[in-house]
Amino acid sequence: MSEQQHGHEAAQKAGFETRAIHAGYEPDPATGAVIPPIYATSTYKQDGVGGLRGGYEYSRSGNPTRTALEGNIAALEEGERGFAFASGLAAEDTLVRALCAPGDHVVVPDDAYGGTYRLFDKVERAWGLEHSSAAVSDVDAVRAAIRPGETTLVWVETPTNPLLNIGDIEALAAVAHEAGALLVVDNTFASPYLQQPLTLGADVVVHSTTKYCGGHSDVVGGALVVRDLEVAERVGFHQNAMGAVAGPFDSWLVLRGLKTLGVRMDRHCDNAERVVEFLAGHPDVTQVIYPGLEEHPGHAVASRQMKRYGGMVSFRVAGGEQQALGVCERAEVFTLGESLGGVESLIEHPGRMTHASVAGTDLEVPADLVRLSVGIETVDDLLADLDRALGARA
Ligand SMILES: *Cc1c(COP(=O)(O)O)cnc(C)c1O
């Protein structure tokens, strides 16, 4: 590990926001640059054969901008090491190949992110990896889906997408470990500010840094953080051997995003709470789905393991699919689009958009469902926009 990855030892033990701003990088000794440069270089001059400066020889193996991001996100998740990838799915594929072999079995959420499910079902399965699905909110169902001696990974998302189901990370870690499997938590929806799965017993954290970590809808990226050195070595080997690394500019964008993660998440949560309150009082809204609501079945677990309940809100409307589609189309401040976690509010119809590929399967979502990624605009503008979009009934 380079000196920079260890950088700012004090910052690694400091509070979350201090780590977000300082961990992973020391001001450049030559210039004092406070922010790591975008090291747009593929290779590095050696001082004699094998005389590497700071361990860098080729940018697939290591790049200082990426190193800064990897050190930073490891500090935020309180893990041993971080790894940055070209996308969330690239991180997932690398992790699976690092920790599984053909013939192994994994348990995946029955409402996994569609791309994750497709990766297991269409890509990893052809490679010889079997999978079964279970509801992450049901610890017994996850235990029952494990095949002792064959299951190497229990894969969990919490909250899930778009129904915001909650998995009990501590209990699921115990169930996985009992069976000799590792627990992987996709922490994309919560972000490390709201939830740190490694501190609750998980072995690996996965992020689509495209979402809250980047936070500005301007980069696609992924990350893994691991708690154990042996796992780190396998992941590090596969990161280099498979090559799906984050480039220096993308790494720089995610690192910049992480510096403001705490303040952004607090505002996402503040605004989401106001949106939930508004929707709950609207006559055309039949159900509001948000883990912060006491009637949400995962509320108690979410209260234990999350700092707050996040910026994602889903709701169902009385007017069925037509009204759900109409709301999505009439909203103006909420931009109609896929993805989530950026500063701007987004609205979408999961049944026709993000979850269209699971129609007709067990993962199908209700047609009257609308999903919001509540951004950090002026909250009154968000409420007025929803009021207008809901009001004109199709
Ligand atoms: C977006 C997303 C992914 C995939 O990440 P990409 O960066 O799009 O490859 C994985 N998991 C969750 C929960 C996501 O939202």
Side-chain angles (χ1 to χ4, degrees):
M1 200 183 308
S2 75
E3 224 165 86
Q4 281 182 334
Q5 182 142 8
H6 272 305
H8 244 284
E9 288 286 348
Q12 312 268 349
K13 294 173 200 88
F16 185 90
E17 290 83 350
T18 308
R19 281 179 274 145
I21 292 166
H22 296 288
Y25 183 72
E26 291 272 22
D28 177 32
T31 64
V34 169
I35 297 299
I38 300 166
Y39 281 90
T41 189
S42 60
T43 190
Y44 305 83
K45 175 178 161 56
Q46 304 192 6
D47 297 320
V49 174
L52 308 181
R53 301 184 192 177
Y56 293 105
E57 59 183 333
Y58 184 61
S59 277
R60 169 164 38 71
S61 315
N63 174 284
T65 317
R66 196 177 93 214
T67 303
L69 168 60
E70 291 175 334
N72 188 273
I73 197 159
L76 295 186
E77 288 286 4
E78 303 193 22
E80 179 62 39
R81 288 221 29 210
F83 301 90
F85 295 88
S87 69
L89 288 176
E92 295 182 14
D93 185 31
T94 305
L95 179 66
V96 166
R97 290 180 205 255
L99 299 185
C100 302
D104 286 353
H105 172 255
V106 299
V107 178
V108 297
D110 70 355
D111 56 352
Y113 171 74
T116 299
Y117 185 76
R118 183 177 57 199
L119 178 71
F120 281 109
D121 198 49
K122 302 276 193 264
V123 180
E124 311 298 7
R125 199 151 64 100
W127 178 65
L129 185 70
E130 305 213 0
H131 63 83
S132 330
S133 312
V136 300
S137 55
D138 183 344
V139 177
D140 293 330
V142 171
R143 186 187 286 112
I146 290 177
R147 298 184 193 162
E150 287 174 42
T151 303
T152 41
L153 299 179
V154 174
W155 192 286
V156 167
E157 290 173 28
T158 178
T160 64
N161 174 25
L163 295 174
L164 307 175
N165 289 313
I166 302 293
D168 183 335
I169 296 171
E170 241 175 318
L172 291 164
V175 162
H177 296 158
E178 240 164 56
L182 298 181
L183 182 72
V184 177
V185 177
D186 181 335
N187 202 27
T188 298
F189 267 44
S191 90
Y193 180 68
L194 297 181
Q195 172 174 283
Q196 287 143 352
L198 301 180
T199 67
L200 298 165
D203 300 284
V204 183
V205 165
V206 176
H207 279 288
S208 169
T209 54
T210 314
K211 317 294 167 51
Y212 287 107
C213 290
H216 295 75
S217 303
D218 54 9
V219 62
V220 171
L224 300 173
V225 184
V226 307
R227 64 187 291 170
D228 176 281
L229 267 180
E230 198 229 306
V231 174
E233 266 171 33
R234 285 154 76 184
V235 170
F237 172 83
H238 280 76
Q239 181 191 40
N240 183 47
M242 293 173 65
V245 294
F249 182 48
D250 289 357
S251 298
W252 188 89
L253 283 171
V254 174
L255 187 62
R256 184 171 69 163
L258 285 170
K259 288 178 193 294
T260 57
L261 181 66
V263 288
R264 282 189 288 109
M265 289 314 294
D266 270 328
R267 184 61 66 87
H268 282 294
C269 294
D270 290 344
N271 285 359
E273 286 166 14
R274 290 284 305 281
V275 163
V276 164
E277 192 186 342
F278 166 80
L279 290 172
H282 195 285
D284 269 6
V285 174
T286 53
Q287 189 189 1
V288 184
I289 303 170
Y290 188 64
L293 288 169
E294 269 175 40
E295 67 260 29
H296 187 288
H299 179 68
V301 174
S303 303
R304 229 176 24 240
Q305 69 190 18
M306 297 177 77
K307 187 180 167 103
R308 298 181 69 182
Y309 305 100
M312 300 301 295
V313 178
S314 295
F315 64 100
R316 300 177 73 174
V317 290
E321 182 170 40
Q322 276 320 304
Q323 190 181 18
L325 292 171
V327 170
C328 292
E329 279 160 18
R330 283 187 296 270
E332 287 171 5
V333 185
F334 280 86
T335 301
L336 177 60
E338 302 195 356
S339 198
L340 62 117
V343 290
E344 67 290 313
S345 292
L346 297 175
I347 189 166
E348 68 122 358
H349 184 265
R352 293 275 188 100
M353 295 169 64
T354 49
H355 291 65
S357 64
V358 296
T361 73
D362 292 348
L363 280 72
E364 182 169 306
V365 295
D368 58 5
L369 187 76
V370 175
R371 186 189 81 178
L372 304 176
S373 172
V374 179
I376 64 171
E377 298 95 336
T378 308
V379 70
D380 289 336
D381 295 332
L382 299 181
L383 303 183
D385 194 42
L386 289 172
D387 196 30
R388 192 168 48 234
L390 272 162
R393 199 151 157 187

